[in-house]
Amino acid sequence: MSESEQKAQTLIAEAQKKLSSSKGFFGSLFGGNSKIDDAVDCYQRAANMFKMAKKWSEAGNAFCSAAELHSKAGSRHDAATNFVDAANCYKKNDPNESVICLIKAIDIYTDMGRFTMAAKHHQTIAELYETEVNDLQRAVQHFEQAADYFKGEESTSSANKCMLKVAQYAAQLEDYEKAIQIYEQVAASCLNSSLLKHSAKEYFFRAALCHLCVDLLNAQHALDKYVQQYPAFQDGREYKLVKTLCEHLEEQNIEGFTDAVKDYDSISRLDQWYTTMLLRIKKQHNDNPDLR
C-alpha cells in the first residue's frame, strides 16, 4: 500500500469517526454541523489521495460519500460537483458507475434549472456509451436529451453537434428516416449562417446516401430538393458523386458504382461511416437489382 493510499484510509476513518460523534443529542447540540463539514473535508481529501495512488474506484467512493453529505445538508451545487468528481474517477475503470454518478448530478442540475450543465453531462454519458460501453442506442438517447436541453438554452451549435451524432448512429442502426430528417434540419440551419453555409454540403450528402439506402427514386428527388435549397451544392463533388451513383444504379452498373466511389475516395478520403453506407447501398442493389 502506497503512502498516499495509507493517508486516504486514515482520512476515511477520521471522517467516519466525526460522523459517528455528530449523531445523537449531544453531538447535535455541540457542533454537529461542523463535524459533518469536517467529515466532508476528510472525504474530499481522501478522494484526492486515492487519485494520487491511482485507486480510482476508492476515489470515486470517497467523492460519493462527500456528495451524499452535501446533499443531506442541502448544499445541492456542492453535491452535484462531487458526483461529477466521482464520475470522473469511475470513468477510468467503471463507466457504468460513472454514468450513475452523472445522472445524480444531472438530477440536481435540472432541479436547479441549470440545463446547460445537465446537457453537458448527458453528452458525457452519451460519449461513454459510445466509446467505452459500445451501446449505441443508449448513446443516441443521451445525445438527444443533451440536444434538447441545449436547444432550450439557445445553444444551437452545441445542439446541432449532438443531433449530428444522433443522425450518425441512427443511420448505422438503419433508422434512415430519422437520420435524413436530422441531416436536412442541420443543413437548413447551416444555410442561415454565412459562416456555416459551406457545411450544408456535407449534411445534404449524408442525407442523400441515407435516401439511397432506402430508395433510388427518393434519392433522386432529394438531390433536386437540395439543389433548390442550396444551388452551390450542385457544383460540389458530393452532389456529382451521388448523381453518378444514381445513374449507375439505375443502369444496374455495379462496376461503375464501385469505380465512382474509388475515384471520389482517391481525392476525398471516405471515413468509416461513408464506407458503411456505400457498401450497404451496393449490397442492397446487388441483392435486389430491380429496386427502384
Side-chain angles (χ1 to χ4, degrees), residues 74-188:
S75 303
R76 293 188 297 171
H77 177 76
D78 290 329
T81 299
N82 279 155
F83 278 130
V84 173
D85 289 335
N88 289 333
C89 294
Y90 287 130
K91 196 186 294 184
K92 303 287 186 181
N93 58 10
D94 191 347
N96 287 314
E97 198 64 39
S98 181
V99 167
I100 290 169
C101 289
L102 287 171
I103 287 173
K104 288 179 180 178
I106 287 167
D107 287 343
I108 295 170
Y109 284 128
T110 52
D111 191 52
M112 294 172 68
R114 302 280 302 278
F115 291 105
T116 299
M117 292 296 290
K120 287 177 180 176
H121 293 311
H122 271 298
Q123 190 174 353
T124 300
I125 292 173
E127 288 164 358
L128 280 170
Y129 279 127
E130 175 186 32
T131 58
E132 301 296 327
V133 184
N134 195 26
D135 186 335
L136 295 187
Q137 289 183 327
R138 285 190 178 180
V140 164
Q141 290 169 8
H142 286 280
F143 276 127
E144 283 185 300
Q145 187 62 74
D148 190 44
Y149 286 155
F150 278 131
K151 283 177 190 172
E153 298 299 297
E154 301 297 325
S155 298
T156 304
S157 176
S158 295
N160 283 346
K161 183 179 176 182
C162 290
M163 288 309 294
L164 287 170
K165 282 286 191 179
V166 173
Q168 174 187 336
Y169 291 127
Q172 285 183 217
L173 295 166
E174 300 186 29
D175 189 350
Y176 299 116
E177 187 177 338
K178 183 174 189 172
I180 289 165
Q181 184 181 24
I182 293 168
Y183 283 132
E184 289 182 349
Q185 285 175 351
V186 175

Side-chain angles (χ1 to χ4, degrees), residues 57-76:
S57 293
E58 290 84 349
N61 293 342
F63 276 128
C64 277
S65 295
E68 296 290 355
L69 289 176
H70 276 309
S71 189
K72 287 175 183 175
S75 303
R76 293 188 297 171

